[in-house]
Amino acid sequence: MKKLFLVFAILLLFLWVKPISAIECDGNPPSGADKVTEIQQYIDNCNQKISSLQGEQTTLKQTISTLTSKINLAQGQINQTQAQINLLEKEVTVLDGVLDTVNDSMDQLEKIYTARVRESYRRSRATPVDLLFSTNSIGDYFNKLKYLNTVKNKDQLILAELEKSRVDYDQRKTDKVTKQKEVEKLKAKLVSQRKTLDAQQKEKQNLLTQTQNDEKKFQSLLSKARAELEAIEAVIAGKGTETEVRDVKAGEKIATVIQGSSCNSSGSHLHFIVGQDHSVKNPFNYLKSVDFENCSGSSCGSGDGDSFNPSGSWDWPLNPRIKLSQGFGVTWAINNTWVRSIYSFHNGIDIISNSADVKAVRDGKLFRGSYSGSGGCALKYVRVAHSEDGIDTYYLHVNYY
């Protein structure tokens, strides 16, 4: 009976004792150089949570939860980098001490070796005949000869130890330089990670400010974004209502950017698209280098924004200086904001300029168009059908000229 009771008690213990759970992506991440494994586990869990949440961003709560997880992830990465820096700096400090010790050892060995060299040099001038006549007996002669050989062997050992110390010193010095370079790289990485954290925190705050933590306002925001996407895709597919206007030349004014908010746009900007056969192409492959400011990331000039790498020959549709607010393809906004729940690929570029004049980038035929979709308003645009290369360029959120 006692044995049965003991087995029963152990089973109850296993049932009631809560197992140690993994470090979840909630609250503050672990920190400290002694918690590298825990930090990595926290980061992995954050990535898993973000991946699962990104497919569910249909409510404000889920979107805020995703942004919170990204903030936690960024903080976890910062803690991980800081822990690596702390470990390396400790290793550099240890290496400093080792280098000092090895250097002192080398100094002592050099002094001993120098003294031994002088003594060996003095003794080397004595010939075997001199040694023989300076001894009292054959036994004394062999003892002195043995002593000289012993001294010679010790000299060789000191020389070998000195060379070993020098090699060790060089290696330790190389290790120190390598680790110091790693520390500098990690510090630069830390700066970038902190910018990412700041951007995530600002985005979360902006979303809360826009919606005032109100689900209805958030759904209205989503509806407007979906309506814009629907309208733009319809225009590219040729579903807009268009009127042919005239032939135009490259550089000729064809429209003006609408100032302020308008249909499917929350603020002044030109959405510029390059298309062919109802599919989009990267505008940067056609536009030439220009004076610009990149504001497509966490802030203007932050360095974390979308690529701005024009390599073509076209003049820009707006006068320089160009301000990029969103690039082409998988953009910073898609990776870091709620727009990911609307689209996963940006089909053009969003740009701003001090001038509202919109100009044709190539010779062609000008069309004025609009599309009225589920948003309940008419998105206005102009299209230029190029006369040379079979490409169409679209200029959205504009007034006709």
Side-chain angles (χ1 to χ4, degrees):
M1 287 296 293
K2 287 182 179 179
K3 288 183 179 179
L4 286 172
F5 179 79
L6 182 60
V7 170
F8 182 72
I10 292 171
L11 286 172
L12 279 177
L13 184 63
F14 274 105
L15 289 171
W16 282 99
V17 172
K18 185 179 180 181
I20 298 173
S21 60
I23 302 173
E24 298 297 333
C25 180
D26 296 306
N28 295 324
S31 62
D34 58 333
K35 295 185 179 179
V36 174
T37 303
E38 289 90 338
I39 294 172
Q40 185 58 53
Q41 187 179 15
Y42 182 89
I43 289 171
D44 292 341
N45 287 332
C46 282
N47 279 318
Q48 290 175 6
K49 187 172 183 180
I50 290 167
S51 296
S52 63
L53 284 169
Q54 281 177 335
E56 305 172 2
Q57 292 183 45
T58 55
T59 68
L60 178 60
K61 183 179 178 181
Q62 289 168 334
T63 303
I64 292 297
S65 181
T66 300
L67 288 172
T68 300
S69 296
K70 287 187 175 183
I71 289 170
N72 290 342
L73 172 62
Q75 186 62 63
Q77 291 170 333
I78 285 172
N79 289 0
Q80 183 184 55
T81 303
Q82 188 62 62
Q84 291 172 330
I85 289 172
N86 293 342
L87 281 173
L88 284 170
E89 286 181 337
K90 284 181 181 178
E91 290 176 7
V92 169
T93 301
V94 170
L95 282 170
D96 276 334
V98 171
L99 284 170
D100 288 340
T101 302
V102 174
N103 194 40
D104 290 342
S105 177
M106 286 173 60
D107 289 342
Q108 292 297 322
L109 284 169
E110 283 180 354
K111 288 177 183 178
I112 294 170
Y113 184 68
T114 301
R116 303 290 292 211
V117 167
R118 288 175 184 159
E119 179 65 17
S120 296
Y121 177 73
R122 185 181 66 80
R123 291 181 178 277
S124 68
R125 298 186 67 182
T127 65
V129 176
D130 293 332
L131 187 64
L132 180 61
F133 281 105
S134 66
T135 57
N136 297 322
S137 64
I138 294 296
D140 188 26
Y141 170 79
F142 282 110
N143 283 336
K144 285 187 176 183
L145 190 61
K146 182 179 178 182
Y147 170 75
L148 289 174
N149 287 332
T150 301
V151 168
K152 183 179 179 182
N153 290 335
K154 285 185 177 179
D155 287 346
Q156 291 175 339
L157 286 172
I158 292 171
L159 183 61
E161 191 65 29
L162 181 59
E163 182 60 27
K164 181 181 176 183
S165 295
R166 280 177 178 157
V167 171
D168 186 39
Y169 181 84
D170 290 341
Q171 183 59 52
R172 303 276 187 173
K173 192 172 181 180
T174 300
D175 291 344
K176 179 186 172 183
V177 170
T178 300
K179 291 182 185 298
Q180 285 174 327
K181 287 181 179 178
E182 289 177 18
V183 167
E184 292 307 312
K185 287 181 181 178
L186 285 172
K187 285 181 177 178
K189 182 180 179 181
L190 190 61
V191 170
S192 175
Q193 288 173 335
R194 282 177 175 154
K195 285 182 179 179
T196 299
L197 176 62
D198 289 343
Q200 300 288 0
Q201 291 171 332
K202 285 178 183 177
E203 175 56 30
K204 180 180 176 180
Q205 187 56 49
N206 288 340
L207 182 58
L208 289 171
T209 300
Q210 281 181 288
T211 62
Q212 296 178 354
N213 208 17
D214 187 315
E215 183 64 35
K216 287 184 179 178
K217 289 183 178 180
F218 178 68
Q219 290 302 327
S220 174
L221 200 66
L222 291 181
S223 294
K224 288 179 181 178
R226 289 192 182 104
E228 179 182 12
L229 179 64
E230 174 200 331
I232 292 173
E233 289 182 339
V235 167
I236 296 169
K239 296 179 182 179
T241 302
E242 295 185 347
T243 302
E244 183 178 329
V245 181
R246 65 181 185 276
D247 290 331
V248 294
K249 295 289 185 182
E252 183 177 339
K253 183 176 177 180
I254 55 175
T256 58
V257 176
I258 298 173
Q259 298 304 296
S261 60
S262 61
C263 180
N264 304 133
S265 173
S266 58
S268 304
H269 74 279
L270 177 69
H271 187 81
F272 178 70
I273 300 172
V274 177
Q276 190 170 31
D277 299 326
H278 304 307
S279 64
V280 296
K281 296 179 175 293
N282 188 345
F284 288 119
N285 292 338
Y286 301 90
L287 296 165
K288 65 182 177 182
S289 297
V290 71
D291 183 25
F292 74 98
E293 183 180 15
N294 196 334
C295 297
S296 59
S298 55
S299 61
C300 293
S302 61
D304 59 1
D306 305 328
S307 296
F308 192 100
N309 53 353
S311 58
S313 60
W314 297 356
D315 285 325
W316 283 69
L318 295 178
N319 290 330
R321 189 179 195 204
I322 301 297
K323 181 184 286 187
L324 178 74
S325 55
Q326 188 169 190
F328 179 80
V330 182
T331 63
W332 183 91
I334 290 170
N335 287 325
N336 294 280
T337 73
W338 58 270
V339 301
R340 184 185 181 93
S341 60
I342 306 300
Y343 58 86
S344 58
F345 191 90
H346 195 233
N347 54 27
I349 58 174
D350 292 340
I351 54 177
I352 309 168
S353 168
N354 289 332
S355 171
D357 293 346
V358 179
K359 295 180 289 187
V361 296
R362 298 287 280 170
D363 297 351
K365 193 170 291 296
L366 176 66
F367 294 84
R368 290 173 179 163
S370 67
Y371 177 81
S372 297
S374 59
C377 63
L379 172 66
K380 294 166 69 176
Y381 68 93
V382 295
R383 175 173 68 91
V384 175
H386 296 193
S387 54
E388 296 179 1
D389 48 27
I391 288 176
D392 294 305
T393 44
Y394 300 83
Y395 312 75
L396 282 64
H397 309 307
V398 299
N399 283 320
Y400 303 139
Y401 174 73

